[in-house]
Amino acid sequence: MFFQEFNRFLETEHGTTLETAVLPQVRTIVRNCLEAIRENISTAGLDYCSFQLFGFDFMLDRQLKVWLIEVNGAPACARKLLPDLAAGIVDIAVDPLFPPTAEGEVGRSGTAGNIRDVFEKL
């Protein structure tokens, strides 16, 4: 079940939406998990920058409470999600280092994205 289908289910069966009932809980759980490992994943002070993609698996109970099942360091992704995932990775991890110019070329900014930027988006 993908997002649109799941949202229709929530609207029909529970009179709510993914954005109001589920995603705020997911954001809180993800933020808390990343805060717990912030020092271990930070590249601050290093002479290189990197990123890692984490896969968070959740379960929803009958009361629409979100439960974290596991976090994967090398997640498998559904083909349907890959184009948006790739674009999101470029926006967050690549563009801060090599921002696109007006002509569509890539330039070197000299500043790296900060893990704080990711937390602010959550």
Side-chain angles (χ1 to χ4, degrees):
M1 194 179 285
F2 283 91
F3 298 116
Q4 289 177 338
E5 296 169 276
F6 186 56
N7 206 39
R8 277 195 300 274
F9 167 78
L10 288 174
E11 288 173 345
T12 304
E13 299 296 321
H14 296 279
T16 190
T17 65
L18 189 64
E19 187 63 44
T20 58
V22 177
L23 291 181
Q25 294 178 74
V26 168
R27 287 184 186 104
T28 298
I29 293 169
V30 170
R31 184 182 304 112
N32 290 342
C33 288
L34 293 176
E35 284 285 350
I37 62 167
R38 178 188 287 221
E39 289 182 22
N40 296 331
I41 62 174
S42 176
T43 58
L46 300 176
D47 55 352
Y48 66 90
C49 297
S50 65
F51 68 91
Q52 182 168 352
L53 177 65
F54 294 99
F56 288 77
D57 294 339
F58 297 99
M59 181 174 65
L60 198 62
D61 68 18
R62 292 180 192 263
Q63 289 74 41
L64 303 181
K65 178 174 173 45
V66 175
W67 296 88
L68 176 65
I69 299 172
E70 66 179 348
V71 181
N72 298 294
C77 299
R79 286 191 181 272
K80 187 174 181 177
L81 299 176
L82 287 178
D84 289 339
L85 178 63
I89 288 171
V90 169
D91 289 346
I92 292 172
V94 177
D95 283 353
L97 291 171
F98 302 98
T101 63
E103 296 81 32
E105 295 178 4
V106 174
R108 177 93 168 118
S109 72
T111 59
N114 188 318
I115 189 74
R116 188 172 296 129
D117 298 333
V118 175
F119 285 108
E120 289 173 6
K121 292 182 181 197
L122 290 176

